[in-house]
């Protein structure tokens, strides 16, 4: 195959990229000698390292695209490029907060289904305030909100329900009742964006509680079953609705209430 | 079959091995590759790229603990503002603390006085009271309750 000459990364930000596209980075990130010369001349040379996010791979001169989607860029903190792609299947990644379902108890370890290729393991000591004598009350079928501590393609993923300082900070067993359903990963990221309109509009409707897992699972709990189901339907449908359609639907609901 | 080997043949074999394995055996004849200093980090998580909010949320007071947590977690992102504000919100103001301490020192100090000193302190208190004109000056020593004989 002939080597493709790539296009500058900055030119494609916000546009659709396909696997196999080569993105050239500005000269700042090349060999040391060149970059020193440029730093003296150029005004604002980005300091720190460039972050090459999901959907991109480092290859020689620039970045190689491995997933199709929109190219995004963040200039802060040394700069970051990533591909905003859509998928339904979750691949465990270290540091992600996910909702898992307990499928088995094997001695000191719980097996959780997180929607990946393998069940994740969670030790009973990984809860806040858990000791060998004081075991957490976890049954098969419980929902657990935790984060990955080990997640790569060679090993079984491991989860914990405490953060690095030993505090639970919201993780652990999710309470009784409520409704768990699955959406695509892109919607989850949209909902978790700061100042998400969907969440803001929904919060005006009823009091409710929401847990979003990066593995595509959402858990909702409201005061009555009907309210819970309404919120579930809105969240599932809002992936394919435009903003106006959504506002119309919500207006109807608040009118009917 | 090593049992059949004589000591002589053994020595010969060892010498031959030593000849083959010399210093050069351990170094590959390849020029050193210069490691490229890379300024690119590969990252598979969206969390480091995008600014994502904490996943647990509660609205309109459904779960007050989670709402407190939301404020705490989402304000962690804006750490710069918090760092500038060094003063911590205190439950008790500085003036109140000073007043408390004034009286506190006296109270705790009385606890550790010896008995004689305690009596002196009490006499002083009583004298003060008499001067102020209180009613019924109490005797400094309480009358010990004597055993009362039953009156038939």
């Amino acid at each position: 195959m002939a080597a493709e000459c790539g296009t500058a990364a900055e030119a494609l930000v916000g546009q659709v990229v396909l696997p196999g596209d080569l993105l050239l980075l500005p000269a700042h990130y090349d060999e040391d000698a060149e970059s020193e010369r440029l730093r003296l001349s150029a005004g604002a040379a980005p300091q720190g390292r460039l972050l090459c996010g999901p959907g991109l791979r480092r290859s020689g001169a620039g970045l190689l695209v491995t997933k199709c989607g929109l190219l995004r860029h963040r200039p802060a903190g040394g700069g970051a490029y990533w591909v905003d792609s859509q998928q339904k299947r979750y691949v465990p990644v270290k540091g992600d907060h996910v909702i898992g379902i307990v499928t088995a108890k094997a001695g000191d370890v719980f097996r959780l289904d997180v929607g990946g290729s393998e069940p994740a393991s969670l030790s009973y000591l990984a809860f806040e305030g858990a000791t060998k004598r004081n075991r957490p009350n976890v049954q098969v079928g419980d929902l657990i909100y935790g984060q990955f501590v080990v997640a790569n393609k060679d090993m079984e993923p491991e989860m914990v329900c405490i953060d690095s300082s030993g505090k639970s900070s919201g993780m652990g067993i999710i309470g009784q009742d409520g409704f768990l359903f699955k959406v695509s990963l892109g919607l989850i990221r949209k909902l978790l964006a700061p100042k998400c309109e969907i969440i803001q509009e929904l919060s005006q409707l009823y009091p409710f509680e929401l847990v979003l897992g990066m593995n595509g699972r959402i858990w909702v709990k409201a005061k009555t079953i009907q309210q819970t189901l309404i919120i579930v339907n809105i969240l599932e449908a809002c992936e394919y609705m435009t903003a106006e359609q959504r506002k119309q639907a919500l207006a109807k609901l608040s009118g009917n209430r | 079959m090593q049992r059949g080997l004589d000591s002589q043949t053994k020595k010969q074999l060892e010498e031959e091995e030593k000849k083959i394995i010399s210093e050069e055996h351990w170094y590959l004849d390849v020029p050193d590759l210069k490691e490229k200093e890379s300024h690119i980090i590969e990252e598979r998580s969206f969390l480091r790229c995008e600014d994502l909010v904490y996943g647990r949320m509660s609205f309109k007071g459904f779960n007050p603990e989670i709402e407190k947590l939301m404020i705490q977690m989402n304000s962690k992102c804006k750490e710069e503002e918090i760092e500038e504000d060094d003063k911590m919100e205190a439950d008790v103001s500085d003036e109140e603390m000073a007043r408390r301490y004034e009286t506190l020192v006296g109270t705790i100090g009385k606890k550790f006085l010896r008995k004689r000193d305690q009596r002196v302190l009490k006499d002083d208190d009583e004298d003060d009271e008499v001067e102020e004109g209180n009613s019924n000056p109490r005797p400094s020593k309480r009358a010990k309750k004597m055993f009362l004989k039953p009156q038939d």
Side-chain angles (χ1 to χ4, degrees):
Chain A
M1 278 175 55
E4 302 168 21
C5 53
T7 40
E10 290 152 340
L12 287 175
V13 172
Q15 296 189 15
V16 175
V17 287
L18 296 175
D21 289 351
L22 186 66
L23 304 172
L24 292 174
L25 295 169
H28 304 299
Y29 302 105
D30 276 353
E31 304 272 332
D32 278 355
E34 289 184 28
S35 67
E36 279 177 52
R37 259 184 279 141
L38 281 165
R39 249 179 245 154
L40 290 169
S41 55
Q47 289 171 11
R49 298 171 166 218
L50 178 72
L51 203 65
C52 158
L56 292 174
R57 223 171 233 217
R58 187 178 58 198
S59 102
L63 301 174
L64 192 65
V65 178
T66 54
K67 280 198 183 151
C68 43
L70 295 169
L71 185 68
R72 302 274 186 220
H73 175 58
R74 183 196 73 194
Y81 286 98
W82 70 94
V83 176
D84 199 357
S85 62
Q86 183 66 286
Q87 64 181 63
K88 283 187 154 193
R89 199 61 153 126
Y90 176 68
V91 172
V93 170
K94 181 176 169 177
D96 265 1
H97 293 260
V98 294
I99 300 180
I101 307 176
V102 181
T103 54
K105 269 200 220 184
D108 291 340
V109 146
F110 304 114
R111 294 248 167 267
L112 298 173
D113 167 40
V114 289
S117 55
E118 283 182 330
S121 71
L122 171 65
S123 163
Y124 76 97
L125 287 171
F127 290 85
E128 187 177 10
T131 57
K132 282 189 180 171
R133 292 203 182 159
N134 180 19
R135 293 177 176 231
N137 186 16
V138 174
Q139 307 302 325
V140 173
D142 277 353
L143 295 176
I144 297 207
Y145 187 62
Q147 64 177 348
F148 283 113
V149 102
V150 168
N152 51 40
K153 62 181 167 73
D154 304 313
M155 291 165 61
E156 174 193 58
E158 289 178 25
M159 279 177 61
V160 287
C161 287
I162 49 174
D163 63 10
S164 51
S165 60
K167 291 188 194 157
S168 70
S169 60
M171 295 188 272
I173 307 172
I174 299 177
Q176 296 280 318
D177 308 328
F179 191 92
L180 180 79
F181 62 104
K182 195 168 180 332
V183 291
S184 68
L185 307 187
L187 180 64
I188 299 276
R189 275 183 284 121
K190 207 168 37 164
L191 292 171
L192 281 175
K195 297 183 191 167
C196 171
E197 288 179 359
I198 308 172
I199 299 277
Q200 282 178 347
E201 287 169 19
L202 273 178
S203 64
Q204 309 297 323
L205 270 186
Y206 322 110
F208 68 98
E209 193 185 340
L210 184 67
V211 179
L212 297 162
M214 294 286 288
N215 53 346
R217 291 187 183 160
I218 305 183
W219 180 83
V220 180
K221 181 175 171 186
K223 282 192 180 153
T224 66
I225 297 180
Q226 200 184 23
Q227 289 179 356
T228 313
L229 289 174
I230 290 174
I231 297 173
V232 166
N233 285 332
I234 294 180
L235 284 172
E236 276 180 335
C238 70
E239 190 170 0
Y240 299 111
M241 283 202 290
T242 62
E244 289 161 10
Q245 289 172 333
R246 195 179 63 232
K247 281 174 191 168
Q248 281 176 12
L250 286 170
K252 263 195 232 170
L253 279 171
S254 45
N256 284 349
R257 213 170 8 133
Chain B
M1 293 212 304
Q2 290 190 348
R3 275 192 202 164
L5 282 176
D6 301 339
S7 56
Q8 274 185 0
T9 42
K10 268 192 208 170
K11 280 183 195 171
Q12 276 178 9
L13 277 173
E14 278 179 28
E15 281 172 33
E16 278 174 35
E17 277 178 23
K18 276 185 195 168
K19 280 183 206 168
I20 297 168
I21 303 174
S22 63
E23 286 269 331
E24 289 173 358
H25 195 83
W26 303 113
Y27 294 98
L28 287 172
D29 194 14
V30 168
D32 284 335
L33 290 169
K34 186 186 165 197
E35 205 185 289
K36 267 190 189 174
E37 252 192 61
S38 175
H39 295 274
I40 306 176
I41 313 175
E42 274 190 22
E43 176 71 48
R44 280 175 57 217
S45 161
F46 279 105
L47 210 67
R48 294 266 308 265
C49 298
E50 302 179 20
D51 216 4
L52 294 178
V53 161
Y54 191 61
R56 258 198 122 144
M57 309 180 202
S58 158
F59 301 105
K60 291 204 171 178
F62 196 77
N63 194 335
E65 291 169 10
I66 303 277
E67 299 206 354
K68 266 190 245 168
L69 199 71
M70 274 171 75
I71 301 173
Q72 194 191 351
M73 292 301 249
N74 295 336
S75 68
K76 263 189 199 173
C77 306
K78 300 173 189 173
E79 275 173 7
E80 291 169 6
E81 293 177 34
I82 295 174
E83 277 175 17
E84 285 173 17
D85 213 0
D86 281 343
K87 254 193 184 177
M88 290 232 309
E89 270 185 41
D91 288 333
V92 185
S93 75
D94 293 338
E95 289 170 7
E96 267 194 59
M97 274 299 276
R99 254 182 277 144
R100 267 277 171 100
Y101 259 111
E102 255 183 323
T103 51
L104 192 70
V105 169
T107 331
I108 301 286
K110 270 196 221 169
K111 215 171 137 186
F112 295 104
L113 288 176
R114 287 176 295 151
K115 266 201 176 170
R116 277 194 198 158
D117 299 332
Q118 276 181 5
R119 205 168 33 138
V120 168
L121 227 112
K122 256 197 177 173
D123 283 340
D124 287 342
D125 284 345
E126 254 83 54
D127 287 342
D128 288 342
E129 285 181 12
V130 165
E131 284 171 13
E132 285 170 16
N134 266 359
S135 57
N136 298 351
R138 272 170 278 138
S140 51
K141 259 194 189 163
R142 246 196 190 176
K144 279 192 186 164
K145 283 196 175 172
M146 302 289 291
F147 176 66
L148 290 171
K149 281 191 181 166
Q151 296 168 352
D152 241 356

